[in-house]
Amino acid sequence: MPEKLMSVKTYQMLTRANACQYYAKDTVIPENYLIISSGAFSGQNKIYTLRFPLRLLSIKSRAFYSCQYLNEVHLPHSVEELGKEAFSECYRLRRVYLSNNLAEISDSCFYHDTKLNRVLFTPSSQLISIGARAFCECSSLPFILLPPHLTSIGNQAFYRCKSLATVRFPKGLRYIGKEAFYFCGIDKLELPETLEFLDESAFFKCNNLTEVVLPPSVRHIGKWVFHGCNRLKVLEIRHDPDSIGPWIINRSARIRCYRGSRMDAYCQKSGFTTEYID
């Protein structure tokens, strides 16, 4: 439990046992609750809207799992913790407004929220990490503007977000995990100059990409990172990464690099078509 929670002497935790008295179409959680426990409202199909306590600190795992009619989540800026699967499989959830003080979006937090079309951060958001499968299969999400302090995007974080056409990556991002944007609708990539690690299949089957330029900060390129991107024509790599996996592109694409570089040698060994930079 976070230190701040431990220091609060008079907090009350809203458990599943006493949450039932607040089940309603428009659910209002009283101000004296600072923690919503695991599974407190899980599967409650009466809930359409939620009003949280203004001093709420923590929402535990699966607290609102599979609340089928919940359509909007507006977290107060006091919230510091969102547990795993906190709002997963909320099939009618459309908008999420996230807390300034949230440092991490936990694994599978909004997994399979198929109607979700807005995820909003404030400019002062302290978020540094998006966990594995956090927005996996959010198939209606068209864009996301990631907050300025984000450094890590976990495995399958946006897996099969097929409508996701626009992603704004912040300066400071260092890591993009395995299959993070697998089968997304991204049509243009502007990766930050701080990015160091592109894991396996990070952009696999992103079929709207036509050209990608990797920043020189990228030290690791995992296997199949742009494989299956059937419209990709050119992957430009102007430096020599420390490690490069196999089949990073389709055979139909080409790699633009410097003649005689280690990247050139990789292309020759792998049988990829090269286009040399003058």
Side-chain angles (χ1 to χ4, degrees):
M1 185 179 294
E3 184 178 342
K4 185 171 182 179
L5 299 187
M6 293 294 289
S7 68
V8 177
K9 295 180 180 179
T10 59
Y11 77 82
Q12 290 193 37
M13 177 183 289
L14 182 60
T15 65
R16 190 170 180 85
N18 57 16
C20 58
Q21 62 189 300
Y22 306 116
Y23 296 166
K25 182 175 181 179
D26 301 309
T27 294
V28 178
I29 301 172
E31 290 296 324
N32 58 309
Y33 290 111
L34 302 188
I35 300 172
I36 299 173
S37 74
S38 298
F41 292 88
S42 178
Q44 294 309 313
N45 291 334
K46 292 182 179 180
I47 301 172
Y48 283 70
T49 65
L50 277 170
R51 192 170 78 193
F52 294 104
L54 293 178
R55 296 188 303 132
L56 184 67
L57 296 175
S58 175
I59 298 173
K60 299 295 185 182
S61 62
R62 288 193 155 207
F64 296 93
Y65 172 80
S66 194
C67 288
Q68 297 294 315
Y69 291 94
L70 181 63
N71 58 62
E72 184 170 295
V73 169
H74 199 146
L75 296 177
H77 291 309
S78 55
V79 172
E80 297 178 352
E81 179 185 25
L82 274 181
K84 293 180 180 180
E85 300 180 275
F87 293 95
S88 67
E89 302 201 27
C90 295
Y91 296 127
R92 289 174 175 81
L93 182 62
R94 294 179 181 275
R95 293 181 181 84
V96 172
Y97 298 81
L98 290 165
S99 162
N100 277 348
N101 288 322
L102 192 65
E104 177 185 14
I105 297 175
S106 296
D107 295 354
S108 303
C109 195
F110 298 97
Y111 169 76
H112 208 209
D113 291 349
T114 54
K115 297 295 184 184
L116 185 64
N117 59 32
R118 292 290 185 276
V119 178
L120 300 170
F121 305 91
T122 67
S124 57
S125 169
Q126 299 303 302
L127 192 77
I128 60 173
S129 175
I130 295 176
R133 300 173 302 283
F135 296 97
C136 177
E137 297 193 49
C138 291
S139 54
S140 297
L141 186 65
F143 67 88
I144 191 160
L145 309 180
L146 296 170
H149 300 295
L150 188 73
T151 61
S152 176
I153 298 173
N155 297 343
Q156 297 186 334
F158 295 91
Y159 181 93
R160 295 186 68 86
C161 291
K162 61 184 181 181
S163 299
L164 187 60
T166 301
V167 182
R168 187 187 69 186
F169 296 99
K171 183 178 180 180
L173 183 69
R174 296 184 180 279
Y175 177 85
I176 297 177
K178 183 185 298 185
E179 298 180 339
F181 294 93
Y182 181 109
F183 198 51
C184 288
I186 300 170
D187 55 16
K188 185 177 181 181
L189 270 184
E190 293 185 7
L191 297 168
E193 295 289 334
T194 52
L195 185 65
E196 297 176 357
F197 200 100
L198 270 175
D199 211 341
E200 175 182 328
S201 302
F203 295 94
F204 190 92
K205 287 191 177 180
C206 289
N207 286 321
N208 292 332
L209 287 174
T210 57
E211 184 166 344
V212 175
V213 178
L214 291 190
S217 56
V218 175
R219 306 317 309 167
H220 173 82
I221 304 172
K223 67 179 181 179
W224 305 335
V225 68
F226 294 104
H227 195 72
C229 298
N230 293 326
R231 293 186 179 89
L232 185 67
K233 300 299 181 185
V234 177
L235 173 62
E236 183 172 308
I237 306 175
R238 289 176 168 259
H239 67 295
D240 288 324
D242 296 336
S243 58
I244 311 168
W247 292 105
I248 61 173
I249 57 172
N250 289 359
R251 288 254 189 226
S252 57
R254 61 190 184 274
I255 292 178
R256 185 181 292 150
C257 63
Y258 288 108
R259 187 187 300 272
S261 64
R262 282 193 288 118
M263 197 67 233
D264 184 14
Y266 166 86
C267 293
Q268 303 310 316
K269 182 179 179 180
S270 303
F272 291 132
T273 301
T274 52
E275 178 182 314
Y276 293 121
I277 300 166
D278 294 332

